[in-house]
């Protein structure tokens, strides 16, 4: 059952974002709308500028932390055209407090830097992180897409893949074939189908939307690490997640899919007051920690 705050947040997003987006064709107006909602970061977390693999970004870790903490590569959302590590401090800060050392790259954004620039940046970051030891990846919306393409690129480049991935409402099919694009057009608190699909040509700039690095639903999921997928029941992107879970499971990938009632897209940003956001982030953190422990036990068993 959804909380009262989830219903209030749904209404607030409809008024503040969906109405503002309207039917605008201006990518930069969409960028401003995405970046206008700022939420407070969790207390006790230090955010430090850094560069990994030649890509600038930001580290998040609990202030005064001593000892090793596992690394989480977090890839922010924003429709491939907006947002930054700073906008996503509520999420990365929450993961830091859950026991991770988090790096969020400020990957290049379209339309100034169209596909595959963001994919290349995320792969470069992973190539730099992977040799340091077991790590995991997470992301929401466009960042969830990039988390999947980072796994695809890690496999192509012969890199150690993430131990697991946590995905929040990933856009897995830029061709737009998911049924929820039609059935949830009015129910989605943030997007109309036409406004969301308007971002695709700005991002792809003529590239093939069936490329698995653009639409990960096209990928071969054999050998993928465990996946956690959270999505809202009312989202236009709901079935991108459902179809992903079905295809990954068919390939033998362990998948945990949760469809949350009522919540608006990218609800994890509201972790300071929305119980569903905290539930999603806490569940993802626990899932990622379990996967890392399983990897460590597997390596210990192999060594013995």
């Amino acid at each position: 059952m959804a909380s009262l705050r989830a219903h209030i947040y749904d209404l607030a997003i409809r008024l503040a974002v969906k109405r503002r987006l309207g039917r605008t064709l201006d990518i930069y107006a969409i960028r401003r709308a995405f970046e206008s909602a700022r939420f407070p970061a969790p207390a006790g977390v230090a955010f430090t500028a850094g560069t990994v693999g030649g890509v600038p970004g930001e580290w998040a870790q609990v202030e005064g932390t001593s000892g090793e903490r596992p690394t989480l590569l977090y890839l922010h959302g924003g429709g491939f055209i907006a947002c930054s590590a700073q906008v996503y401090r509520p999420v990365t800060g929450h993961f830091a407090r859950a026991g991770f050392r988090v790096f969020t790259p400020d990957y290049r954004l379209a339309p100034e830097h169209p596909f595959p620039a963001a994919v290349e940046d995320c792969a470069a970051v992973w190539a730099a992180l992977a040799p340091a030891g077991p790590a995991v990846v997470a992301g929401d919306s466009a960042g969830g897409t990039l988390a999947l393409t980072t796994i695809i690129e890690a496999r192509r480049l012969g890199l150690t893949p993430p131990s697991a991935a946590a995905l929040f409402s990933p856009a897995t099919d830029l061709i737009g074939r998911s049924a929820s694009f039609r059935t949830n057009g009015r129910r989605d608190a943030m997007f109309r189908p036409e406004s969301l699909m308007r971002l695709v040509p700005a991002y792809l700039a003529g590239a093939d939307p069936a490329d698995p690095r653009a639409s990960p639903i096209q990928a071969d999921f054999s050998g993928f690490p465990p996946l956690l997928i959270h999505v809202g029941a009312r989202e236009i992107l709901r079935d991108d997640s459902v179809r992903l879970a079905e295809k990954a499971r068919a390939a033998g990938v362990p998948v945990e899919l949760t469809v949350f009632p009522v919540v608006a897209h990218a609800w994890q940003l509201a972790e300071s007051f929305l119980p569903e956001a905290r539930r999603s982030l806490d569940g993802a953190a626990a899932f990622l920690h379990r996967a890392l422990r399983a990897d460590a036990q597997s390596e210990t068993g192999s060594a013995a």
Side-chain angles (χ1 to χ4, degrees):
M1 183 175 178
S3 68
L4 175 60
R5 291 189 178 192
H7 287 279
I8 294 171
Y9 185 63
D10 176 275
L11 178 60
I13 293 298
R14 288 179 187 277
L15 296 175
V17 181
K18 191 170 189 175
R19 179 178 291 181
R20 185 174 176 184
L21 287 178
R23 301 179 185 278
T24 181
L25 297 174
D26 185 348
I27 289 296
Y28 299 101
I30 296 173
R31 178 179 290 176
R32 289 191 296 271
F34 281 176
E35 295 180 349
S36 63
R38 297 292 182 111
F39 297 89
V45 179
F47 298 95
T48 309
T51 299
V52 176
V55 182
E58 185 174 81
W59 287 99
Q61 55 187 352
V62 171
E63 293 174 351
T65 300
S66 60
E68 291 296 319
R69 293 200 166 199
T71 298
L72 165 61
L73 170 60
Y74 192 84
L75 304 174
H76 70 76
F80 306 104
I81 60 100
C83 297
S84 65
Q86 287 192 359
V87 171
Y88 270 79
R89 285 179 176 178
V91 173
T92 58
H94 195 105
F95 275 120
R97 293 185 60 168
F100 292 96
R101 184 170 181 253
V102 186
F103 184 73
T104 305
D106 282 318
Y107 57 82
R108 288 172 290 173
L109 300 175
E112 296 89 346
H113 304 283
F115 176 87
V119 174
E120 293 169 346
D121 286 353
C122 296
V125 174
W126 184 254
L129 292 176
V136 289
V137 65
D140 69 287
S141 192
T145 311
L146 292 169
L148 288 166
T149 60
T150 297
I151 299 170
I152 294 169
E153 286 296 271
R155 180 167 58 185
R156 184 181 70 83
L157 297 170
L159 303 171
T160 301
S163 295
L167 312 169
F168 306 134
S169 308
T172 66
D173 186 356
L174 298 192
I175 302 171
R177 295 169 294 185
S178 290
S180 55
F181 263 80
R182 298 177 294 278
T183 60
N184 277 355
R186 297 178 68 88
R187 301 174 74 212
D188 191 297
M190 187 176 294
F191 297 118
R192 293 180 174 86
E194 60 271 21
S195 62
L196 190 61
M197 291 307 294
R198 195 169 293 131
L199 302 178
V200 174
Y203 173 55
L204 293 181
D208 183 3
D211 185 324
R213 297 174 302 164
S215 295
I217 197 70
Q218 299 290 113
D220 174 8
F221 289 99
S222 302
F224 258 53
L227 303 177
L228 174 139
I229 308 168
H230 289 174
V231 69
R234 297 179 177 181
E235 291 192 67
I236 285 173
L237 290 175
R238 181 196 64 203
D239 290 348
D240 276 30
S241 287
V242 173
R243 292 170 59 212
L244 168 66
E246 291 171 348
K247 186 171 181 180
R249 284 170 176 157
V253 179
V255 177
E256 293 186 15
L257 169 67
T258 303
V259 180
F260 285 70
V262 179
V263 293
H265 184 70
W267 77 93
Q268 291 83 6
L269 281 165
E271 63 85 40
S272 61
F273 67 92
L274 191 61
E276 286 87 350
R278 294 189 291 272
R279 193 181 312 146
S280 176
L281 292 169
D282 289 343
F287 171 85
L288 295 172
H289 279 301
R290 286 196 302 271
L292 286 163
R293 287 195 297 270
D295 256 13
Q297 291 169 1
S298 177
E299 289 180 10
T300 301
S302 299

